[in-house]
Amino acid sequence: MRARLATTVGGAAATVSRLAGKGDGSVIGGIIGLRLEPDLLSLLATGRQVVLVTGTNGKTTTTRLITAALGSCGQKIASNVYGANMEAGLTSALSREPDAPFAVLETDEKYIPAMIKATQPKVVVLLNLSRDQMDRAAEIWMLARRWRQALAAAPGTSVVANADDPLVAWAASSASSVSWVAAGQRWREDSWCCPHCGAHLVRPDDDWHCPECDNRRPPIRWALKDGQVIDPSGQAWPLGLALPGRANASNAVIALAVAETFGVTVSSALAGGMREVTSVAGRYTQVRRRGTQVRLLLAKNPAGWLEALDVMAPAPVPVLLAVNAQVPDGRDTSWLWDVDYRRLRDRPVLVGGERRMDLAVRLEADGVAFQLVDSLDQAIDLARAPSLEVLANYTAFQQYRAVLGRAQ
Amino acid sequence: VSELPRDGGAGIPGLRLVWIYPDLLSTYGDRGNLLVLERRARLRGIPAEVVEVNADQPVPVDGDIYLMGGGEDLPQVLATRRLAADGGLREAVRRGAVLFAVCAGYQMLGTEFGGAEGQPMPGLGLLDMRSGRGERRGVGEILADVDPALGVPRLTGFENHQGVTQLGPGARPLARVLTGVGNGDGTEGAYAGRVLGTYLHGPALVRNPGLADLLLTWAAGQQLPPLPAAAEDLALRLRAERLAGAAPGAGAYGRDRPGPRGAGLGLGRAGAQGRRDLVADRRERRRLDPRSAARGPAGAPRPGGSRLGGRPPRGGRRLNKPGLGRPRP
């Protein structure tokens, strides 16, 4: 009864929030509901098959791909599609879909232990761990340790985890059952050393093992290989995603491994929805503006920028890089020095965002020529090209997206 | 490595830069310090060779400048253990090499720091200081005025640590905190001889080219020619913007939104404080220029430099409870 009341009041608040133009209503309803009934999330999760998705990068996209993959089951699915990934966001997502038997919930890395406790998930998805917003996020070795403890205490939960990220593999290995995915790891600067004993890992190609203890890459069930997915029987399937880049292929293989735990086959998951996902909350959106085809890429940390630079159309397509350092971005721009920009030397580069001077000095050190800009339109006008690739971190991305009319 | 050219274009021998354990101690942009030193050496015609030493490799003893970055708790303990067992760094310092360490690397230089559970761990003992855990985490922009004996303009950086550090009589504070936490007692960083550490984490030298040049000067054993103004322009503009952003009165965590577009890109945006600091910067660089007749002795206080020196730290984030340690990047 309390849960129903809390949900109703929370839902009303969300509606008010949307009508008042204060937000998309994905958090406020949950906050009010939880105030009235602190166990609301547990109550709402009871009786559902819950998937929690976490990691430093790819949470939103993977959540979307899993939701698409499970669509072929024909069941309603609750999901926090707007990326509100803490307790209130999860609560709102469930209360909006009270009779959905499935829930696919993106979850902040720090909150996973508490959310596992509250929702008793069927599956926890662990994507990757790398340096991110160090001024407010926890240390990643510490996070891995907390994940490890939380999974050890949840014997009813199975895990889908990236075996190619040694820190993730170490965290996941405490779970009672793990479906290991060779999803690849482009960024390795946070996992050269063994999380168990600290020795420098031996990493020939994709394999890895510790020379000083028995920590090693676990046996693989699913793999991403040359852009194709290799299923547990060894059969290769072309992914054929609309979403670009290696990182999204990696997210997709993980989504397929999750689909397997729901009895969804590769062919129905891919054809039944995953291939149709074209943009996720404005990421990868293409918009025509002032005669230029503008594509928006969002990346928030060095691993994300590395993958995004891979995704970009080759030179001579011009690139606009934009960096802010507001609270959601992390106020510390040190991470800019962890990205290698030298591959941008052969194309026009424009630099925007509130912290463009930080980026300017960084590019200078890498010998990349650039022009500073005050706005997206100025960048488009200076580029004078048929297309422009835009790579921005979180609030810079949202600012450009707003200029383009809340592009989806 | 032995065929490194030992004669640069400016008549200054080539420099060997050694980055200690990038696999364990590189948490957030630490590579920036290496890139800045390399660039500022090369722009002066000084050949710079970079050596990256992983945790499973011996530390060479013949480097000119050694760099140590930040690290999380566990890597910090592991790195200290390995460095102590290796002995190469200690020998290099004994031979007179320059050592620059930030954050977790800085704490490791002392006789003691806090381990993963806060327990005291033996440090490398290269600086007379010990570190422990403070009551609160110091996160945000930091400003500090450097010991006038070093002739380096005001420091601007970002700190992110819970450590507090007490210096012994064998080490001097690097700077006096204006905004931020630093060592926790109003001082920031430490140095003795050519070993220098700071809580400014990550790419600390990017916004502090004067500090980078101090290290290069120590390593070269002579005054360096100034860089062409065009090569300094962007760094000085960034520096001015950050100095203004973190100045007292700009808020505890600094004003890091330069404001709406159209406010200009350079000094206009940086504000009056930044302009003043930039002027002081330029004056300082002129003073350090060996070709300038106006240059004073190395220990002379720089004009306008210690304006706020001697004041207690601002911001009310004093951390003065040594004990449990929690190293941070």
Side-chain angles (χ1 to χ4, degrees), chain A residues 131 133-134 139-141 198 200 325 331-332 338 354 356 364, chain B residues 23 26-29 39 72 78 160 201 256-258 265 269 328:
Chain A
R131 60 191 69 180
Q133 299 173 38
M134 293 286 294
E139 300 182 345
I140 52 178
W141 288 48
H200 193 86
R331 292 191 164 267
D332 180 3
D338 289 323
E354 291 158 2
R356 53 188 170 273
E364 179 186 50
Chain B
D23 53 345
S26 169
T27 304
Y28 220 41
R39 177 171 182 272
E72 296 189 9
L78 294 166
N160 185 353
H201 87 165
D256 57 2
R257 254 197 283 183
L265 286 171
R269 161 156 299 148
R328 289 291 175 173

PDB file of all heavy atoms in Angstrom, chain A residues 131 133-134 139-141 198 200 325 331-332 338 354 356 364, chain B residues 23 26-29 39 72 78 160 201 256-258 265 269 328:
ATOM      1  N   ARG A 131      39.986   5.065 -15.581  1.00  0.00           N
ATOM      2  CA  ARG A 131      40.011   6.371 -14.899  1.00  0.00           C
ATOM      3  C   ARG A 131      38.903   7.276 -15.437  1.00  0.00           C
ATOM      4  O   ARG A 131      38.706   7.389 -16.625  1.00  0.00           O
ATOM      5  CB  ARG A 131      41.378   7.023 -15.062  1.00  0.00           C
ATOM      6  CG  ARG A 131      41.757   7.274 -16.490  1.00  0.00           C
ATOM      7  CD  ARG A 131      43.212   7.676 -16.643  1.00  0.00           C
ATOM      8  NE  ARG A 131      44.115   6.562 -16.349  1.00  0.00           N
ATOM      9  CZ  ARG A 131      45.428   6.643 -16.416  1.00  0.00           C
ATOM     10  NH1 ARG A 131      46.006   7.789 -16.742  1.00  0.00           N
ATOM     11  NH2 ARG A 131      46.183   5.600 -16.149  1.00  0.00           N
ATOM     12  N   GLN A 133      36.684  10.968 -14.120  1.00  0.00           N
ATOM     13  CA  GLN A 133      36.244  11.973 -13.161  1.00  0.00           C
ATOM     14  C   GLN A 133      36.810  11.741 -11.761  1.00  0.00           C
ATOM     15  O   GLN A 133      36.082  11.537 -10.800  1.00  0.00           O
ATOM     16  CB  GLN A 133      34.720  12.018 -13.115  1.00  0.00           C
ATOM     17  CG  GLN A 133      34.154  12.384 -14.467  1.00  0.00           C
ATOM     18  CD  GLN A 133      32.650  12.281 -14.521  1.00  0.00           C
ATOM     19  OE1 GLN A 133      31.979  12.605 -13.566  1.00  0.00           O
ATOM     20  NE2 GLN A 133      32.147  11.818 -15.649  1.00  0.00           N
ATOM     21  N   MET A 134      38.132  11.803 -11.718  1.00  0.00           N
ATOM     22  CA  MET A 134      38.829  11.443 -10.482  1.00  0.00           C
ATOM     23  C   MET A 134      38.480  12.355  -9.310  1.00  0.00           C
ATOM     24  O   MET A 134      38.715  12.006  -8.165  1.00  0.00           O
ATOM     25  CB  MET A 134      40.337  11.485 -10.701  1.00  0.00           C
ATOM     26  CG  MET A 134      40.855  10.436 -11.646  1.00  0.00           C
ATOM     27  SD  MET A 134      40.880   8.797 -10.918  1.00  0.00           S
ATOM     28  CE  MET A 134      42.115   9.033  -9.656  1.00  0.00           C
ATOM     29  N   GLU A 139      38.268   5.537  -6.541  1.00  0.00           N
ATOM     30  CA  GLU A 139      39.390   4.902  -7.203  1.00  0.00           C
ATOM     31  C   GLU A 139      38.925   3.573  -7.802  1.00  0.00           C
ATOM     32  O   GLU A 139      38.132   2.858  -7.198  1.00  0.00           O
ATOM     33  CB  GLU A 139      40.485   4.645  -6.177  1.00  0.00           C
ATOM     34  CG  GLU A 139      40.977   5.929  -5.538  1.00  0.00           C
ATOM     35  CD  GLU A 139      42.101   5.681  -4.554  1.00  0.00           C
ATOM     36  OE1 GLU A 139      42.301   4.514  -4.173  1.00  0.00           O
ATOM     37  OE2 GLU A 139      42.769   6.646  -4.183  1.00  0.00           O
ATOM     38  N   ILE A 140      39.429   3.250  -8.978  1.00  0.00           N
ATOM     39  CA  ILE A 140      38.864   2.090  -9.670  1.00  0.00           C
ATOM     40  C   ILE A 140      39.290   0.756  -9.067  1.00  0.00           C
ATOM     41  O   ILE A 140      38.551  -0.201  -9.124  1.00  0.00           O
ATOM     42  CB  ILE A 140      39.155   2.135 -11.183  1.00  0.00           C
ATOM     43  CG1 ILE A 140      40.636   2.344 -11.453  1.00  0.00           C
ATOM     44  CG2 ILE A 140      38.331   3.230 -11.837  1.00  0.00           C
ATOM     45  CD1 ILE A 140      40.954   2.342 -12.931  1.00  0.00           C
ATOM     46  N   TRP A 141      40.490   0.708  -8.460  1.00  0.00           N
ATOM     47  CA  TRP A 141      40.863  -0.553  -7.794  1.00  0.00           C
ATOM     48  C   TRP A 141      39.926  -0.788  -6.604  1.00  0.00           C
ATOM     49  O   TRP A 141      39.556  -1.908  -6.289  1.00  0.00           O
ATOM     50  CB  TRP A 141      42.312  -0.521  -7.313  1.00  0.00           C
ATOM     51  CG  TRP A 141      43.327  -0.603  -8.415  1.00  0.00           C
ATOM     52  CD1 TRP A 141      43.334   0.125  -9.566  1.00  0.00           C
ATOM     53  CD2 TRP A 141      44.479  -1.450  -8.477  1.00  0.00           C
ATOM     54  NE1 TRP A 141      44.429  -0.218 -10.319  1.00  0.00           N
ATOM     55  CE2 TRP A 141      45.150  -1.165  -9.685  1.00  0.00           C
ATOM     56  CE3 TRP A 141      45.024  -2.413  -7.612  1.00  0.00           C
ATOM     57  CZ2 TRP A 141      46.321  -1.819 -10.055  1.00  0.00           C
ATOM     58  CZ3 TRP A 141      46.209  -3.050  -7.983  1.00  0.00           C
ATOM     59  CH2 TRP A 141      46.844  -2.757  -9.195  1.00  0.00           C
ATOM     60  N   GLY A 198      49.519  -6.976  -7.853  1.00  0.00           N
ATOM     61  CA  GLY A 198      50.252  -5.781  -8.279  1.00  0.00           C
ATOM     62  C   GLY A 198      51.398  -6.025  -9.236  1.00  0.00           C
ATOM     63  O   GLY A 198      52.034  -5.075  -9.681  1.00  0.00           O
ATOM     64  N   HIS A 200      53.396  -6.709 -12.735  1.00  0.00           N
ATOM     65  CA  HIS A 200      53.137  -6.263 -14.099  1.00  0.00           C
ATOM     66  C   HIS A 200      52.620  -7.450 -14.911  1.00  0.00           C
ATOM     67  O   HIS A 200      53.292  -8.472 -15.029  1.00  0.00           O
ATOM     68  CB  HIS A 200      54.425  -5.707 -14.720  1.00  0.00           C
ATOM     69  CG  HIS A 200      54.191  -4.960 -15.993  1.00  0.00           C
ATOM     70  ND1 HIS A 200      53.860  -3.626 -16.026  1.00  0.00           N
ATOM     71  CD2 HIS A 200      54.201  -5.374 -17.283  1.00  0.00           C
ATOM     72  CE1 HIS A 200      53.695  -3.239 -17.285  1.00  0.00           C
ATOM     73  NE2 HIS A 200      53.896  -4.286 -18.053  1.00  0.00           N
ATOM     74  N   ALA A 325      34.353  21.591 -17.811  1.00  0.00           N
ATOM     75  CA  ALA A 325      34.740  20.980 -16.532  1.00  0.00           C
ATOM     76  C   ALA A 325      33.737  21.370 -15.456  1.00  0.00           C
ATOM     77  O   ALA A 325      34.108  21.805 -14.373  1.00  0.00           O
ATOM     78  CB  ALA A 325      36.156  21.385 -16.148  1.00  0.00           C
ATOM     79  N   ARG A 331      35.667  18.333 -12.425  1.00  0.00           N
ATOM     80  CA  ARG A 331      36.235  19.684 -12.480  1.00  0.00           C
ATOM     81  C   ARG A 331      37.723  19.679 -12.817  1.00  0.00           C
ATOM     82  O   ARG A 331      38.341  20.715 -12.968  1.00  0.00           O
ATOM     83  CB  ARG A 331      36.011  20.391 -11.143  1.00  0.00           C
ATOM     84  CG  ARG A 331      34.551  20.681 -10.928  1.00  0.00           C
ATOM     85  CD  ARG A 331      34.323  21.608  -9.761  1.00  0.00           C
ATOM     86  NE  ARG A 331      32.985  22.160  -9.819  1.00  0.00           N
ATOM     87  CZ  ARG A 331      32.692  23.325 -10.396  1.00  0.00           C
ATOM     88  NH1 ARG A 331      33.635  24.051 -10.938  1.00  0.00           N
ATOM     89  NH2 ARG A 331      31.462  23.748 -10.411  1.00  0.00           N
ATOM     90  N   ASP A 332      38.266  18.511 -12.931  1.00  0.00           N
ATOM     91  CA  ASP A 332      39.701  18.357 -13.150  1.00  0.00           C
ATOM     92  C   ASP A 332      39.944  17.930 -14.598  1.00  0.00           C
ATOM     93  O   ASP A 332      39.450  16.893 -15.032  1.00  0.00           O
ATOM     94  CB  ASP A 332      40.200  17.280 -12.177  1.00  0.00           C
ATOM     95  CG  ASP A 332      41.676  17.016 -12.291  1.00  0.00           C
ATOM     96  OD1 ASP A 332      42.351  17.708 -13.077  1.00  0.00           O
ATOM     97  OD2 ASP A 332      42.152  16.111 -11.590  1.00  0.00           O
ATOM     98  N   ASP A 338      46.047  12.308 -20.882  1.00  0.00           N
ATOM     99  CA  ASP A 338      46.137  10.856 -21.063  1.00  0.00           C
ATOM    100  C   ASP A 338      45.731  10.415 -22.464  1.00  0.00           C
ATOM    101  O   ASP A 338      45.835   9.245 -22.800  1.00  0.00           O
ATOM    102  CB  ASP A 338      45.239  10.148 -20.037  1.00  0.00           C
ATOM    103  CG  ASP A 338      45.800  10.249 -18.633  1.00  0.00           C
ATOM    104  OD1 ASP A 338      47.036  10.195 -18.486  1.00  0.00           O
ATOM    105  OD2 ASP A 338      45.006  10.383 -17.685  1.00  0.00           O
ATOM    106  N   GLU A 354      34.110  25.267 -22.606  1.00  0.00           N
ATOM    107  CA  GLU A 354      34.505  26.229 -21.589  1.00  0.00           C
ATOM    108  C   GLU A 354      35.965  26.079 -21.176  1.00  0.00           C
ATOM    109  O   GLU A 354      36.586  27.013 -20.694  1.00  0.00           O
ATOM    110  CB  GLU A 354      33.595  26.049 -20.365  1.00  0.00           C
ATOM    111  CG  GLU A 354      32.163  26.491 -20.653  1.00  0.00           C
ATOM    112  CD  GLU A 354      31.134  25.877 -19.726  1.00  0.00           C
ATOM    113  OE1 GLU A 354      31.519  25.111 -18.816  1.00  0.00           O
ATOM    114  OE2 GLU A 354      29.940  26.146 -19.917  1.00  0.00           O
ATOM    115  N   ARG A 356      38.531  25.255 -23.257  1.00  0.00           N
ATOM    116  CA  ARG A 356      39.276  25.069 -24.495  1.00  0.00           C
ATOM    117  C   ARG A 356      40.745  25.419 -24.360  1.00  0.00           C
ATOM    118  O   ARG A 356      41.570  24.877 -25.090  1.00  0.00           O
ATOM    119  CB  ARG A 356      38.640  25.853 -25.635  1.00  0.00           C
ATOM    120  CG  ARG A 356      38.411  27.329 -25.365  1.00  0.00           C
ATOM    121  CD  ARG A 356      37.587  27.911 -26.525  1.00  0.00           C
ATOM    122  NE  ARG A 356      37.114  29.242 -26.253  1.00  0.00           N
ATOM    123  CZ  ARG A 356      35.968  29.502 -25.620  1.00  0.00           C
ATOM    124  NH1 ARG A 356      35.218  28.512 -25.170  1.00  0.00           N
ATOM    125  NH2 ARG A 356      35.581  30.733 -25.420  1.00  0.00           N
ATOM    126  N   GLU A 364      48.862  21.553 -28.516  1.00  0.00           N
ATOM    127  CA  GLU A 364      50.148  22.146 -28.866  1.00  0.00           C
ATOM    128  C   GLU A 364      51.290  21.191 -28.528  1.00  0.00           C
ATOM    129  O   GLU A 364      52.222  21.009 -29.306  1.00  0.00           O
ATOM    130  CB  GLU A 364      50.308  23.469 -28.110  1.00  0.00           C
ATOM    131  CG  GLU A 364      51.620  24.179 -28.381  1.00  0.00           C
ATOM    132  CD  GLU A 364      51.792  25.416 -27.506  1.00  0.00           C
ATOM    133  OE1 GLU A 364      51.617  25.323 -26.268  1.00  0.00           O
ATOM    134  OE2 GLU A 364      52.096  26.468 -28.064  1.00  0.00           O
TER     135      GLU A 364
ATOM    136  N   ASP B  23      53.147   2.323 -15.370  1.00  0.00           N
ATOM    137  CA  ASP B  23      52.121   1.278 -15.263  1.00  0.00           C
ATOM    138  C   ASP B  23      51.473   1.248 -13.877  1.00  0.00           C
ATOM    139  O   ASP B  23      50.365   0.757 -13.713  1.00  0.00           O
ATOM    140  CB  ASP B  23      52.697  -0.094 -15.625  1.00  0.00           C
ATOM    141  CG  ASP B  23      53.958  -0.440 -14.839  1.00  0.00           C
ATOM    142  OD1 ASP B  23      54.569   0.465 -14.226  1.00  0.00           O
ATOM    143  OD2 ASP B  23      54.333  -1.621 -14.826  1.00  0.00           O
ATOM    144  N   SER B  26      50.460   6.333 -12.648  1.00  0.00           N
ATOM    145  CA  SER B  26      50.033   7.279 -13.671  1.00  0.00           C
ATOM    146  C   SER B  26      48.524   7.297 -13.616  1.00  0.00           C
ATOM    147  O   SER B  26      47.859   6.556 -14.307  1.00  0.00           O
ATOM    148  CB  SER B  26      50.511   6.842 -15.051  1.00  0.00           C
ATOM    149  OG  SER B  26      49.873   7.627 -16.034  1.00  0.00           O
ATOM    150  N   THR B  27      47.990   8.123 -12.741  1.00  0.00           N
ATOM    151  CA  THR B  27      46.571   8.039 -12.462  1.00  0.00           C
ATOM    152  C   THR B  27      45.743   9.016 -13.268  1.00  0.00           C
ATOM    153  O   THR B  27      44.665   8.699 -13.716  1.00  0.00           O
ATOM    154  CB  THR B  27      46.325   8.285 -10.963  1.00  0.00           C
ATOM    155  OG1 THR B  27      47.114   7.344 -10.254  1.00  0.00           O
ATOM    156  CG2 THR B  27      44.876   8.062 -10.601  1.00  0.00           C
ATOM    157  N   TYR B  28      46.243  10.211 -13.485  1.00  0.00           N
ATOM    158  CA  TYR B  28      45.391  11.214 -14.125  1.00  0.00           C
ATOM    159  C   TYR B  28      46.236  12.276 -14.797  1.00  0.00           C
ATOM    160  O   TYR B  28      46.506  13.320 -14.224  1.00  0.00           O
ATOM    161  CB  TYR B  28      44.466  11.833 -13.082  1.00  0.00           C
ATOM    162  CG  TYR B  28      43.057  12.073 -13.582  1.00  0.00           C
ATOM    163  CD1 TYR B  28      42.409  11.139 -14.383  1.00  0.00           C
ATOM    164  CD2 TYR B  28      42.370  13.223 -13.258  1.00  0.00           C
ATOM    165  CE1 TYR B  28      41.117  11.348 -14.834  1.00  0.00           C
ATOM    166  CE2 TYR B  28      41.070  13.443 -13.708  1.00  0.00           C
ATOM    167  CZ  TYR B  28      40.455  12.493 -14.495  1.00  0.00           C
ATOM    168  OH  TYR B  28      39.168  12.720 -14.932  1.00  0.00           O
ATOM    169  N   GLY B  29      46.674  11.991 -16.004  1.00  0.00           N
ATOM    170  CA  GLY B  29      47.380  12.995 -16.783  1.00  0.00           C
ATOM    171  C   GLY B  29      48.840  13.188 -16.417  1.00  0.00           C
ATOM    172  O   GLY B  29      49.451  14.185 -16.791  1.00  0.00           O
ATOM    173  N   ARG B  39      59.208  19.076 -24.225  1.00  0.00           N
ATOM    174  CA  ARG B  39      58.964  20.171 -25.167  1.00  0.00           C
ATOM    175  C   ARG B  39      59.827  21.385 -24.836  1.00  0.00           C
ATOM    176  O   ARG B  39      60.457  21.981 -25.718  1.00  0.00           O
ATOM    177  CB  ARG B  39      57.484  20.550 -25.121  1.00  0.00           C
ATOM    178  CG  ARG B  39      57.110  21.714 -26.003  1.00  0.00           C
ATOM    179  CD  ARG B  39      55.603  21.901 -26.087  1.00  0.00           C
ATOM    180  NE  ARG B  39      55.274  23.002 -26.983  1.00  0.00           N
ATOM    181  CZ  ARG B  39      55.190  24.273 -26.608  1.00  0.00           C
ATOM    182  NH1 ARG B  39      55.388  24.609 -25.342  1.00  0.00           N
ATOM    183  NH2 ARG B  39      54.915  25.214 -27.480  1.00  0.00           N
ATOM    184  N   GLU B  72      46.808   5.078  -6.930  1.00  0.00           N
ATOM    185  CA  GLU B  72      45.846   4.662  -5.914  1.00  0.00           C
ATOM    186  C   GLU B  72      46.579   3.971  -4.774  1.00  0.00           C
ATOM    187  O   GLU B  72      47.770   3.693  -4.854  1.00  0.00           O
ATOM    188  CB  GLU B  72      44.815   3.724  -6.548  1.00  0.00           C
ATOM    189  CG  GLU B  72      43.975   4.413  -7.610  1.00  0.00           C
ATOM    190  CD  GLU B  72      42.811   3.548  -8.083  1.00  0.00           C
ATOM    191  OE1 GLU B  72      42.554   2.490  -7.470  1.00  0.00           O
ATOM    192  OE2 GLU B  72      42.155   3.932  -9.052  1.00  0.00           O
ATOM    193  N   LEU B  78      52.722  -0.956  -3.636  1.00  0.00           N
ATOM    194  CA  LEU B  78      53.503  -1.881  -4.467  1.00  0.00           C
ATOM    195  C   LEU B  78      54.678  -1.168  -5.119  1.00  0.00           C
ATOM    196  O   LEU B  78      55.794  -1.694  -5.180  1.00  0.00           O
ATOM    197  CB  LEU B  78      52.603  -2.483  -5.542  1.00  0.00           C
ATOM    198  CG  LEU B  78      51.490  -3.383  -5.009  1.00  0.00           C
ATOM    199  CD1 LEU B  78      50.449  -3.644  -6.100  1.00  0.00           C
ATOM    200  CD2 LEU B  78      52.058  -4.688  -4.489  1.00  0.00           C
ATOM    201  N   ASN B 160      43.926  16.516  -5.259  1.00  0.00           N
ATOM    202  CA  ASN B 160      42.894  15.517  -4.994  1.00  0.00           C
ATOM    203  C   ASN B 160      43.522  14.449  -4.104  1.00  0.00           C
ATOM    204  O   ASN B 160      44.105  13.485  -4.583  1.00  0.00           O
ATOM    205  CB  ASN B 160      42.421  14.914  -6.321  1.00  0.00           C
ATOM    206  CG  ASN B 160      41.256  13.963  -6.138  1.00  0.00           C
ATOM    207  OD1 ASN B 160      40.867  13.635  -5.005  1.00  0.00           O
ATOM    208  ND2 ASN B 160      40.697  13.499  -7.234  1.00  0.00           N
ATOM    209  N   HIS B 201      48.418  17.577  -8.471  1.00  0.00           N
ATOM    210  CA  HIS B 201      48.524  16.251  -9.056  1.00  0.00           C
ATOM    211  C   HIS B 201      48.520  16.292 -10.580  1.00  0.00           C
ATOM    212  O   HIS B 201      48.326  17.325 -11.197  1.00  0.00           O
ATOM    213  CB  HIS B 201      47.449  15.318  -8.482  1.00  0.00           C
ATOM    214  CG  HIS B 201      46.139  15.355  -9.205  1.00  0.00           C
ATOM    215  ND1 HIS B 201      45.189  14.385  -9.017  1.00  0.00           N
ATOM    216  CD2 HIS B 201      45.625  16.223 -10.105  1.00  0.00           C
ATOM    217  CE1 HIS B 201      44.149  14.670  -9.782  1.00  0.00           C
ATOM    218  NE2 HIS B 201      44.373  15.769 -10.436  1.00  0.00           N
ATOM    219  N   ASP B 256      35.554  27.848 -12.657  1.00  0.00           N
ATOM    220  CA  ASP B 256      36.186  27.314 -13.849  1.00  0.00           C
ATOM    221  C   ASP B 256      35.270  27.369 -15.052  1.00  0.00           C
ATOM    222  O   ASP B 256      35.492  26.739 -16.033  1.00  0.00           O
ATOM    223  CB  ASP B 256      36.751  25.917 -13.624  1.00  0.00           C
ATOM    224  CG  ASP B 256      35.701  24.957 -13.167  1.00  0.00           C
ATOM    225  OD1 ASP B 256      34.537  25.372 -13.071  1.00  0.00           O
ATOM    226  OD2 ASP B 256      36.025  23.824 -12.904  1.00  0.00           O
ATOM    227  N   ARG B 257      34.222  28.147 -14.927  1.00  0.00           N
ATOM    228  CA  ARG B 257      33.462  28.443 -16.142  1.00  0.00           C
ATOM    229  C   ARG B 257      33.861  29.836 -16.587  1.00  0.00           C
ATOM    230  O   ARG B 257      33.589  30.810 -15.906  1.00  0.00           O
ATOM    231  CB  ARG B 257      31.976  28.409 -15.850  1.00  0.00           C
ATOM    232  CG  ARG B 257      31.357  27.152 -16.424  1.00  0.00           C
ATOM    233  CD  ARG B 257      29.874  27.282 -16.518  1.00  0.00           C
ATOM    234  NE  ARG B 257      29.251  27.106 -15.235  1.00  0.00           N
ATOM    235  CZ  ARG B 257      27.933  27.129 -15.096  1.00  0.00           C
ATOM    236  NH1 ARG B 257      27.158  27.335 -16.134  1.00  0.00           N
ATOM    237  NH2 ARG B 257      27.403  26.954 -13.911  1.00  0.00           N
ATOM    238  N   PRO B 258      34.528  29.936 -17.693  1.00  0.00           N
ATOM    239  CA  PRO B 258      35.026  31.249 -18.080  1.00  0.00           C
ATOM    240  C   PRO B 258      33.911  32.224 -18.430  1.00  0.00           C
ATOM    241  O   PRO B 258      34.173  33.364 -18.708  1.00  0.00           O
ATOM    242  CB  PRO B 258      35.875  30.959 -19.318  1.00  0.00           C
ATOM    243  CG  PRO B 258      36.041  29.482 -19.373  1.00  0.00           C
ATOM    244  CD  PRO B 258      34.892  28.893 -18.640  1.00  0.00           C
ATOM    245  N   LEU B 265      38.942  35.317 -25.601  1.00  0.00           N
ATOM    246  CA  LEU B 265      39.605  34.036 -25.407  1.00  0.00           C
ATOM    247  C   LEU B 265      40.802  34.111 -24.484  1.00  0.00           C
ATOM    248  O   LEU B 265      41.217  33.147 -23.903  1.00  0.00           O
ATOM    249  CB  LEU B 265      40.071  33.486 -26.752  1.00  0.00           C
ATOM    250  CG  LEU B 265      38.930  32.945 -27.609  1.00  0.00           C
ATOM    251  CD1 LEU B 265      39.439  32.634 -28.991  1.00  0.00           C
ATOM    252  CD2 LEU B 265      38.351  31.707 -26.947  1.00  0.00           C
ATOM    253  N   ARG B 269      39.139  37.243 -20.623  1.00  0.00           N
ATOM    254  CA  ARG B 269      38.384  36.277 -19.867  1.00  0.00           C
ATOM    255  C   ARG B 269      39.019  36.026 -18.511  1.00  0.00           C
ATOM    256  O   ARG B 269      38.360  35.687 -17.549  1.00  0.00           O
ATOM    257  CB  ARG B 269      38.323  34.982 -20.668  1.00  0.00           C
ATOM    258  CG  ARG B 269      37.981  33.783 -19.853  1.00  0.00           C
ATOM    259  CD  ARG B 269      37.387  32.736 -20.736  1.00  0.00           C
ATOM    260  NE  ARG B 269      36.177  33.251 -21.345  1.00  0.00           N
ATOM    261  CZ  ARG B 269      35.745  32.918 -22.551  1.00  0.00           C
ATOM    262  NH1 ARG B 269      36.441  32.102 -23.275  1.00  0.00           N
ATOM    263  NH2 ARG B 269      34.638  33.411 -23.010  1.00  0.00           N
ATOM    264  N   ARG B 328      46.667   9.369  -2.177  1.00  0.00           N
ATOM    265  CA  ARG B 328      45.769   9.678  -3.288  1.00  0.00           C
ATOM    266  C   ARG B 328      46.572  10.124  -4.478  1.00  0.00           C
ATOM    267  O   ARG B 328      47.715  10.529  -4.327  1.00  0.00           O
ATOM    268  CB  ARG B 328      44.820  10.806  -2.866  1.00  0.00           C
ATOM    269  CG  ARG B 328      43.792  10.377  -1.852  1.00  0.00           C
ATOM    270  CD  ARG B 328      42.799   9.447  -2.469  1.00  0.00           C
ATOM    271  NE  ARG B 328      41.885   8.953  -1.459  1.00  0.00           N
ATOM    272  CZ  ARG B 328      40.817   8.220  -1.760  1.00  0.00           C
ATOM    273  NH1 ARG B 328      40.571   7.900  -2.990  1.00  0.00           N
ATOM    274  NH2 ARG B 328      40.026   7.806  -0.821  1.00  0.00           N
TER     275      ARG B 328
END
